[in-house]
Amino acid sequence: SGAAGGPGDPNASFVSQSKAELSRETAAKALVELRKLPQDHPRQLEKLVLLETAFLAGEAYLAARNFSSASIQFESLNREIDEFTQSVKARGEAQLAYDTILSRIQDLERARSLAPEALEAAFSAAGSGRQFLVEGSFLAAKRTFDRGFADLK
């Protein structure tokens, strides 16, 4: 009889199956929540499709009873879902920061002669951050807007 934990050990197989199914359940619940979010940016829609595809690949591993591969697939997917969720959150924060910096620039435009360099730096950051927003690089956009806003203080 094989040693506990060896290749033929039914306990190891059960643990592997349980781990894969738990990771699958976590991913499935997270995807349900992600589907509820507005997907009005092409990058976000594209990423959601990739996440769904990765989920289906994990399902195929489970169906084939390849629990080790399924577990790896779903654990990787869960990390990607976390990153995507942070990106979606960053998008909202970046949009708010963009609106705020534009409003602040407009307020300070009247006093341009007092700090022209700071105003130009902030205006440049607003333009760069806006480009990041358009490209779907929401974390980069948020950081750029924060730097620009700091120039205005």
Side-chain angles (χ1 to χ4, degrees), residues 94-146:
Q95 187 61 56
L96 181 61
Y98 179 64
D99 295 344
T100 303
I101 198 170
L102 287 183
S103 175
R104 186 84 171 114
I105 287 171
Q106 189 175 19
D107 290 346
L108 294 175
E109 186 65 40
R110 288 178 232 124
R112 174 181 277 282
S113 61
L114 299 178
E117 297 84 12
L119 197 56
E120 285 302 317
F123 194 74
S124 175
S128 298
R130 177 77 182 128
Q131 187 60 37
F132 283 130
L133 265 179
V134 169
E135 293 170 358
S137 299
F138 307 120
L139 293 170
K142 175 74 169 82
R143 283 192 297 270
T144 303
F145 293 137
D146 288 346

Side-chain angles (χ1 to χ4, degrees), residues 58-129:
E59 292 274 81
Y61 285 132
L62 273 181
R65 303 192 55 77
N66 185 343
F67 302 121
S68 176
S69 294
S71 184
I72 291 167
Q73 180 73 18
F74 286 123
E75 287 172 13
S76 173
L77 174 60
N78 284 321
R79 284 190 299 276
E80 289 180 45
I81 288 171
D82 288 343
E83 289 172 18
F84 181 72
T85 302
Q86 289 175 2
S87 175
V88 170
K89 182 180 176 206
R91 179 179 179 215
E93 292 172 353
Q95 187 61 56
L96 181 61
Y98 179 64
D99 295 344
T100 303
I101 198 170
L102 287 183
S103 175
R104 186 84 171 114
I105 287 171
Q106 189 175 19
D107 290 346
L108 294 175
E109 186 65 40
R110 288 178 232 124
R112 174 181 277 282
S113 61
L114 299 178
E117 297 84 12
L119 197 56
E120 285 302 317
F123 194 74
S124 175
S128 298

